Amino acid sequence: MAETTGSGTATGDAAPQPRKSSWKYIGPGIVVAATGVGAGDLVATLIAGSNFGYTLLWAAVIGCVVKISLAEAAGRWHLATGRTLFDGWASLGRWTTWFFVVYVVIWGYVYGAAAMSSSGLPLQALFPDVMELKWWGILTGIVGLVFVWFNKYAVFEKVMTVLVGIMFVVTVYLAIRVTPHLGDAFAGLLPVLPDEKDSILNTLGLIGGVGGTITLAAYGYWVNAKGWTNAGWMKVMRLDNRVAYITTGIFVVAMLFVGAELLHSANVAIASGDTGLVQLSGILEKEYGDATAKLFLIGFFATSFTSLIGVWHGVSLMFADFVERYRKQRAGAGEKVLTGEEVASGAREKSVPFRAYLLWLTFPPMILLFQGQPFRLIILYGVLGAAFMPFLALTLVWLLNSSRTPGEWRNGWLSNSMLAIAGLLFLVLCIKQITDQDWGSFF
């Protein structure tokens, strides 16, 4: 690939030749969609269906469109400029680096425990007499660590694709099994708010919550790891991204169908959080038998474990990118850009920073599985998590409308509109998250 300048414009003998979009290239989008949709997202969608029936189906669909726009923007930055997203953030000022460092340290510590617990829950339900939940969680964390430690992106993508296939089969099967009322479902595509307290915030939460994490920012890194490192892959990336979030949309709609038909019609409530899915397996067993309940738990595990290994891989790549930039600055390399070709080489997947962050995600969080989650740390985790999505949306607007991006690939009115809507949506949710915290007890 041609060298890139600090402004992000490509130089060289010839522009990269466009690749024809083809289904055979699909991969990074499946990875980012599977990682972003965790057990908590499925519970949120189930609860929306159980509380409001099909009324908020339109909100779930809009949420997928918003994520398509964010992931496309992250991928476009990597391909159009040849630079990594962290390198783009760093060009906006030191404040972005400080935010990223604090975020990945605190968020990673708490998320590690949450991901292991979520992956252990369905295994404990499937094998109740084998061992306690915390030991199942520890086992899944170590398996995830070993898998990501020894395998590069190509193997990682294949395993994620298999797990996504399991998720897809299970969720679609359940949606068909509960016999949805299609007339009511189509009516749910009309943008109507439930006639209940805080209905606007609940709706915004559903739009913003499903599939919305730091893994959207990792999409560009997975695009590079696939070997797509220049603008010639732009059409391929866009097809890949759309297929991924249409798949996410099917997951979300299927679980909303289950919530609307199985829970709403029977006026059954389930707990928020991952334990709600264990409750659902019990309801499925009563209604449809043991085989359906076990199939659902297998899908529950696939959903949770894809999020675990996806974060273990993607965020570790981002952390390695941060350390590499820091090292170059310390060595006096100035503002030399960090390129997608460096990610594509696979060297960072075996680097010390990559593996150090893997260890951080796996072993320190095990303390929380034994001791519970510290109150102050959980508040900081919630605030930082809520702040990341507006940070991502607004910095992408900044980067993709500036001279850092070649003119051909800067935002048009549609991209700017979608990213602005996403930024405002996540900003409102961030403010809500901050105001809901028990700050009196914190201090």
Side-chain angles (χ1 to χ4, degrees):
M1 184 183 139
E3 289 294 317
T4 56
T5 68
S7 65
T9 56
T11 62
D13 296 331
Q17 293 299 309
R19 304 271 181 157
K20 291 183 69 174
S21 57
S22 171
W23 292 91
K24 69 180 181 181
Y25 293 124
I26 300 300
I30 295 296
V31 171
V32 73
T35 305
V37 178
D41 299 311
L42 295 187
V43 172
T45 311
L46 269 174
I47 290 176
S50 67
N51 289 341
F52 308 117
Y54 293 106
T55 305
L56 291 181
L57 180 60
W58 64 272
V61 173
I62 288 178
C64 292
V65 174
V66 167
K67 306 310 184 312
I68 287 174
S69 302
L70 281 166
E72 188 275 342
R76 178 155 45 94
W77 165 264
H78 277 249
L79 296 181
T81 67
R83 303 167 69 179
T84 65
L85 185 55
F86 184 82
D87 192 62
W89 285 337
S91 73
L92 301 178
R94 287 180 177 269
W95 65 275
T96 58
T97 300
W98 284 109
F99 175 82
F100 177 79
V101 171
V102 173
Y103 177 85
V104 295
V105 170
I106 296 177
W107 180 89
Y109 181 57
V110 180
Y111 179 83
M116 287 186 278
S117 178
S118 177
S119 297
L121 266 173
L123 294 176
Q124 187 192 36
L126 283 166
F127 309 104
D129 300 322
V130 176
M131 53 185 169
E132 296 179 36
L133 173 60
K134 57 178 174 285
W135 295 112
W136 279 117
I138 288 170
L139 177 62
T140 60
I142 292 173
V143 170
L145 169 72
V146 171
F147 171 72
V148 175
W149 188 286
F150 289 106
N151 291 295
K152 289 190 176 182
Y153 176 79
V155 176
F156 166 72
E157 182 190 285
K158 286 181 173 64
V159 171
M160 289 287 278
T161 302
V162 170
L163 291 172
V164 168
I166 294 170
M167 292 165 58
F168 188 88
V169 169
V170 170
T171 53
V172 171
Y173 167 76
L174 287 178
I176 295 171
R177 195 79 169 84
V178 299
T179 318
H181 291 76
L182 296 181
D184 293 341
F186 283 121
L189 294 173
L190 295 174
V192 176
L193 290 174
D195 187 20
E196 299 203 14
K197 183 182 178 182
D198 292 333
S199 62
I200 293 177
L201 287 173
N202 288 332
T203 303
L204 291 178
L206 182 61
I207 294 173
V210 177
T213 70
I214 190 174
T215 52
L216 284 168
Y219 179 58
Y221 290 84
W222 286 320
V223 162
N224 289 156
K226 180 76 168 176
W228 307 346
T229 57
N230 57 51
W233 291 97
M234 199 70 75
K235 285 185 178 180
V236 175
M237 181 274 292
R238 284 172 167 162
L239 174 65
D240 174 73
N241 179 46
R242 289 165 188 164
V243 169
Y245 278 95
I246 289 171
T247 305
T248 299
I250 293 172
F251 292 155
V252 170
V253 169
M255 293 311 289
L256 193 136
F257 279 12
V258 174
E261 294 294 343
L262 193 62
L263 305 178
H264 181 70
S265 59
N267 197 27
V268 175
I270 61 171
S272 59
D274 299 344
T275 54
L277 294 183
V278 177
Q279 284 181 265
L280 178 62
S281 72
I283 296 169
L284 288 169
E285 184 175 5
K286 290 179 182 177
E287 293 287 331
Y288 304 112
D290 185 61
T292 297
K294 281 185 166 52
L295 181 66
F296 170 72
L297 289 171
I298 292 169
F300 175 7
F301 172 74
T303 302
S304 298
F305 196 63
T306 51
S307 293
L308 186 151
I309 60 175
V311 167
W312 264 228
H313 187 275
V315 184
S316 296
L317 265 182
M318 296 179 71
F319 183 77
D321 192 37
F322 152 71
V323 173
E324 182 65 22
R325 190 176 213 284
Y326 179 75
R327 282 177 174 171
K328 286 184 176 180
Q329 288 181 328
R330 294 273 297 197
E335 289 299 312
K336 180 181 178 182
V337 299
L338 300 176
T339 67
E341 282 194 341
E342 293 176 286
V343 179
S345 72
R348 289 190 186 164
E349 294 172 272
K350 302 297 183 184
S351 67
V352 172
F354 180 89
R355 288 176 165 176
Y357 194 72
L358 269 179
L359 294 172
W360 174 252
L361 282 167
T362 306
F363 290 107
M366 290 178 184
I367 298 170
L368 301 183
L369 296 178
F370 286 91
Q371 297 183 350
Q373 300 181 350
F375 176 73
R376 288 182 175 84
L377 193 61
I378 295 304
I379 287 183
L380 292 175
Y381 167 78
V383 170
L384 284 170
F388 185 82
M389 293 304 287
F391 167 79
L392 174 62
L394 298 175
T395 53
L396 283 171
V397 170
W398 190 346
L399 290 170
L400 293 169
N401 283 287
S402 72
S403 60
R404 299 171 181 83
T405 304
E408 180 185 0
W409 302 112
R410 289 178 197 163
N411 277 359
W413 68 268
L414 181 60
S415 294
N416 277 325
S417 299
M418 292 304 300
L419 290 177
I421 290 169
L424 290 172
L425 163 67
F426 291 119
L427 189 60
V428 169
L429 294 174
C430 177
I431 293 170
K432 176 72 164 54
Q433 179 79 4
I434 292 171
T435 55
D436 283 350
Q437 301 296 340
D438 187 2
W439 294 105
S441 299
F442 183 89
F443 297 106

